[in-house]
């Protein structure tokens, strides 16, 4: 049996953002199927910022993978203009390069939506620099399904163009992203869907109950008192705090509903609800599978974190995505699902009104979700086929 080392970049394990962690879980889940087909054994080197043993142990346990096959490599930060920081991290850089050279193939997810400069040039440069190192050392680079752009700065766009064109395979998670790449590059793009649709979870029969469970996922990135430090270079037409408060009040006023607050990145603004009576507040989860198991028990899920909505959608829950960027609409429209609340174009009252309309029609939403999942099944298989095809090509 052959042994191969797969590098995973832009996919996190030791992080509070369960969406990014879900991508890593889902990618490894796909790779474990591929290794059986190729009669290979894979070791994984996960390139990320920090290491927490409990997180790696959870990954090992949830996916039933021997812990000895999961390795960590610190990628550090790459602000070369700051010479003190550069010197301080030079040892980390050297080890990372050594680990890159151990890889037979590197798959980069770019945290699903971070191959863009809307979160700032620092983040863009850091996550693009590691791609450049992979191709510099002639390691085959696969860009896993993700969103590409937008790029507000021409320098960022040109840098992204170079990385994209040097990859051996480029997959997007929606047609909108693929079309965007085609506007500045001739690279062939394989259109699939988001990796996290394949995140495993525990399927259990829901018990008959008196109330309809509404899961609400607020975002710590969008509230006025942020619980996430990520910069966001895009503006909302909606007053997000007022939208969440009015939506909460409306749900609580209806006796047929039971409201659950479900975080997906750390504590995700759940502090807003500490003094609100009648709300079931879930504390932060230890891993994305644990979160999805809870989300799957909801009847309706209203989410501002895209991967939280994917967790709901992929488990058959009536889902109302609440979008702050085109990554939501691009993904869901590719699946024939148009029930997305757009915070960038809708005023507060309109966003609330549309959300409540969708909530009132949650049974129809559930049917539409189930119909769209048939499309997910067909396009998700493309991911495994494409990666397996690339491996056969570059390793033969």
């Amino acid at each position: 049996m052959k042994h191969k080392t797969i590098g995973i970049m832009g996919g996190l394990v030791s992080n509070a953002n369960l969406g990014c962690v879900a991508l890593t879980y889902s990618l490894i889940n796909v790779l474990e199927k591929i290794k059986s087909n190729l009669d290979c054994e894979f070791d994984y080197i996960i390139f990320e910022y920090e290491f927490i043993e409990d997180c790696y142990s959870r990954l090992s346990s949830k996916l039933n993978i021997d812990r000895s096959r999961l390795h960590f490599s610190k990628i550090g930060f790459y602000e070369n203009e700051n010479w003190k920081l550069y010197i301080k991290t030079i040892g980390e850089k050297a080890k990372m390069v050594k680990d890159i050279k151990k890889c037979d193939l590197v798959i980069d997810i770019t945290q699903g939506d971070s191959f863009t400069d809307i979160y700032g040039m620092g983040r863009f440069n850091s996550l693009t620099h590691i791609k450049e190192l992979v191709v510099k050392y002639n390691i085959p680079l696969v860009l896993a399904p993700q969103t590409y752009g937008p790029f507000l700065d021409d320098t960022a766009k040109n840098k992204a163009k170079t990385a994209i064109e040097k990859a051996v395979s480029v997959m997007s998670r929606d047609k909108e992203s693929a079309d965007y790449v085609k506007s500045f590059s001739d690279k062939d793009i394989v259109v699939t869907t988001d990796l996290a649709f394949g995140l495993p979870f525990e399927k259990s029969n829901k018990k008959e109950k008196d109330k309809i469970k509404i899961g609400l996922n607020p975002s710590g990135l969008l509230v006025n008192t942020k619980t996430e430090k990520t910069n966001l270079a895009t503006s909302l037409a909606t007053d997000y705090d007022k939208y969440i408060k009015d939506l909460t009040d409306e749900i609580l006023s209806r006796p047929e509903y039971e409201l659950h607050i479900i975080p997906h990145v750390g504590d995700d603004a759940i502090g807003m609800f500490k003094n609100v009576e009648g709300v079931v507040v879930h504390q932060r989860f230890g891993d994305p599978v644990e979160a999805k198991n809870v989300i799957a028990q909801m009847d309706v899920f209203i989410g501002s974190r895209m991967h939280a909505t994917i967790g709901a959608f992929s488990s058959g829950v009536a889902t109302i995505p609440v979008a702050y960027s085109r990554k939501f609409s691009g993904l869901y429209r590719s699946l024939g699902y148009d029930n997305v609340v757009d915070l960038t174009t809708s005023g507060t009252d309109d966003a609330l009104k549309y959300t409540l309309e969708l909530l009132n029609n949650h049974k129809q939403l559930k049917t539409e979700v189930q119909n769209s999942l048939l499309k997910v099944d067909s396009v998700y298989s493309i991911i495994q086929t494409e990666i397996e095809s690339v491996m056969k090509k570059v390793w033969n």
Side-chain angles (χ1 to χ4, degrees):
M1 179 179 288
K2 295 176 289 187
H3 282 74
K4 297 291 184 180
T5 299
I6 310 296
I8 296 176
M9 290 180 171
L12 307 175
V13 177
S14 304
N15 196 273
N17 188 327
L18 298 183
C20 294
V21 180
L23 292 173
T24 307
Y25 273 58
S26 301
L27 175 59
I28 292 177
N29 203 36
V30 169
L31 292 170
E32 287 295 288
K33 296 174 184 175
I34 292 174
K35 79 179 182 67
S36 299
N37 293 343
L38 298 183
D39 192 29
C40 280
E41 187 65 85
F42 291 163
D43 278 358
Y44 303 104
I45 301 178
I46 299 163
F47 295 84
E48 60 176 327
Y49 300 112
E50 62 179 329
F51 171 77
I52 300 173
E53 174 56 41
D54 178 63
C55 295
Y56 276 72
S57 296
R58 283 176 174 269
L59 171 59
S60 170
S61 174
K62 293 291 167 71
L63 297 186
N64 194 27
I65 295 175
D66 193 296
R67 175 66 185 84
S68 65
R69 293 170 52 212
L70 301 170
H71 309 279
F72 162 77
S73 185
K74 185 174 178 62
I75 68 170
F77 295 88
Y78 294 87
E79 298 177 20
N80 294 351
E81 299 81 11
N82 183 336
W83 66 269
K84 289 184 179 179
L85 180 61
Y86 185 86
I87 292 172
K88 183 178 178 181
T89 59
I90 201 165
E92 293 174 359
K93 292 182 176 69
K95 182 182 184 305
M96 187 195 71
V97 168
K98 185 177 179 180
D99 288 337
I100 288 175
K101 291 179 177 180
K102 293 178 184 176
C103 296
D104 297 291
L105 181 80
V106 169
I107 303 176
D108 195 312
I109 318 172
T110 327
Q111 298 176 24
D113 69 344
S114 291
F115 206 176
T116 175
D117 56 6
I118 68 169
Y119 300 117
M121 285 300 294
R123 184 168 178 173
F124 169 78
N125 284 329
S126 178
L127 293 172
T128 305
H129 179 70
I130 55 178
K131 297 175 179 59
E132 295 170 337
L133 288 175
V134 172
V135 297
K136 176 181 178 181
Y137 294 109
N138 297 313
I139 310 299
L141 173 66
V142 171
L143 296 180
Q146 56 191 280
T147 297
Y148 296 91
F151 300 107
L152 308 178
D153 183 276
D154 286 342
T155 301
K157 181 182 283 188
N158 290 332
K159 198 170 185 178
K161 179 177 184 288
T162 300
I164 288 169
E165 293 181 344
K166 289 185 176 181
V168 296
S169 174
V170 180
M171 288 175 271
S172 74
R173 60 186 182 186
D174 59 79
K175 186 177 182 298
E176 193 171 345
S177 277
D179 289 344
Y180 181 71
V181 172
K182 287 176 185 176
S183 72
F184 61 83
S185 171
D186 294 328
K187 186 73 175 183
D188 290 334
I189 311 297
V190 178
V191 180
T192 61
T193 192
D194 195 280
L195 274 161
F197 278 109
L199 182 71
F201 69 104
E202 294 177 7
K203 298 180 181 179
S204 58
N205 294 324
K206 295 179 181 177
K207 298 178 181 178
E208 289 295 326
K209 51 198 173 305
D210 295 330
K211 294 196 174 187
I212 299 167
K213 288 187 176 182
I214 311 295
L216 176 61
N217 162 239
S219 172
L221 178 63
L222 304 179
V223 292
N224 289 331
T225 307
K226 295 182 182 295
T227 59
E228 184 182 347
K229 295 179 181 179
T230 303
N231 293 320
L232 183 62
T234 186
S235 58
L236 303 183
T238 302
D239 180 334
Y240 186 73
D241 284 58
K242 186 175 188 304
Y243 165 79
I244 290 294
K245 183 182 183 306
D246 290 352
L247 178 59
T248 301
D249 289 345
E250 185 65 33
I251 293 172
L252 290 174
S253 73
R254 302 188 184 187
E256 69 270 27
Y257 292 151
E258 178 179 287
L259 180 60
H260 293 249
I261 305 301
I262 302 177
H264 210 250
V265 178
D267 293 323
D268 238 359
I270 61 176
M272 294 173 64
F273 303 91
K274 62 183 179 181
N275 297 318
V276 180
E277 292 185 13
V279 178
V280 180
V281 179
H282 296 263
Q283 301 304 310
R284 69 164 67 189
F285 300 100
D287 61 71
V289 175
E290 184 181 323
K292 188 171 181 178
N293 288 343
V294 172
I295 290 171
Q297 295 304 310
M298 299 296 112
D299 296 294
V300 188
F301 188 81
I302 306 168
S304 302
R305 296 287 189 177
M306 194 175 82
H307 281 105
T309 67
I310 289 173
F313 198 95
S314 58
S315 53
V317 175
T319 305
I320 304 174
V322 179
Y324 66 87
S325 81
R326 70 169 170 82
K327 65 179 181 178
F328 288 78
S329 58
L331 175 76
Y332 284 110
R333 282 175 187 156
S334 290
L335 301 175
Y337 190 78
D338 295 323
N339 305 302
V340 177
V341 179
D342 191 341
L343 301 179
T344 66
T345 60
S346 299
T348 309
D349 291 342
D350 288 340
L352 178 64
K353 181 181 177 182
Y354 185 43
T355 304
L356 294 174
E357 286 176 3
L358 294 173
L359 180 57
N360 290 336
N361 293 309
H362 65 87
K363 290 183 179 179
Q364 175 62 31
L365 280 191
K366 184 176 177 66
T367 299
E368 292 187 35
V369 167
Q370 291 170 336
N371 291 337
S372 292
L373 284 176
L374 298 175
K375 177 76 177 290
V376 172
D377 290 341
S378 64
V379 294
Y380 197 86
S381 63
I382 295 172
I383 302 172
Q384 179 175 334
T385 301
E386 175 67 12
I387 295 176
E388 190 170 328
S389 174
V390 168
M391 288 177 171
K392 289 177 180 177
K393 187 183 300 181
V394 300
W395 291 344
N396 288 338

